[in-house]
Amino acid sequence: MTYQDILIENGDVVLDAGRNPVLIQDRAVIAQDIKHAIIESGLAVALIAERSRSKRRDISTQIELLVEEDMRLVPGTVRLEEPKEGVIYVFAKTIDFGELNLTVDVEKNRG
């Protein structure tokens, strides 16, 4: 185990049955960090607010570049999909932990 963190869902710490924080490791920590970086950047909200196709592509590129900054990922492996408005799928390969797949649901993460 290289990375460990507390699991956060919808802005809250997730607790187990004993009311202790749930811990996550390695790939899950990287995914959580990337998800929070996207949400905190405001780019996901900007993406769903934008109607211009070219500006939406520009914002998607900005999100991709933001994710690419994570040193724990293999450069050039980041791919984004937006299957429906307000939902972004992020696919990448980590250097030490294999494939990474995460979902950013903007509506669930607005605060």
Side-chain angles (χ1 to χ4, degrees):
M1 175 174 44
T2 305
Y3 306 105
Q4 186 168 322
D5 201 354
I6 295 171
L7 178 60
I8 307 290
E9 288 183 356
N10 302 320
D12 293 323
V13 173
V14 177
L15 303 176
D16 65 15
R19 307 219 14 99
N20 298 305
V22 173
L23 298 177
I24 55 175
Q25 292 83 33
D26 300 331
R27 183 177 25 211
V29 172
I30 297 169
Q32 180 170 277
D33 290 348
I34 290 170
K35 182 176 184 176
H36 290 161
I38 293 169
I39 293 166
E40 291 167 9
S41 73
L43 291 169
V45 173
L47 183 65
I48 65 168
E50 185 56 60
R51 296 292 166 232
S52 165
R53 186 178 298 241
S54 64
K55 289 182 182 177
R56 288 177 62 79
R57 277 195 303 268
D58 181 53
I59 294 168
S60 287
T61 300
Q62 290 177 53
I63 294 171
E64 191 173 313
L65 291 171
L66 174 69
V67 174
E68 284 274 358
E69 289 178 8
D70 194 308
M71 300 300 290
R72 300 168 291 184
L73 300 179
V74 176
T77 64
V78 175
R79 184 172 54 90
L80 302 179
E81 290 182 13
E82 189 181 9
K84 66 178 187 172
E85 189 173 293
V87 176
I88 303 166
Y89 292 157
V90 179
F91 305 95
K93 185 173 182 180
T94 67
I95 292 172
D96 296 319
F97 308 108
E99 298 296 321
L100 178 79
N101 305 312
L102 67 107
T103 303
V104 178
D105 188 330
V106 179
E107 292 301 319
K108 285 185 178 179
N109 291 289
R110 281 194 191 190

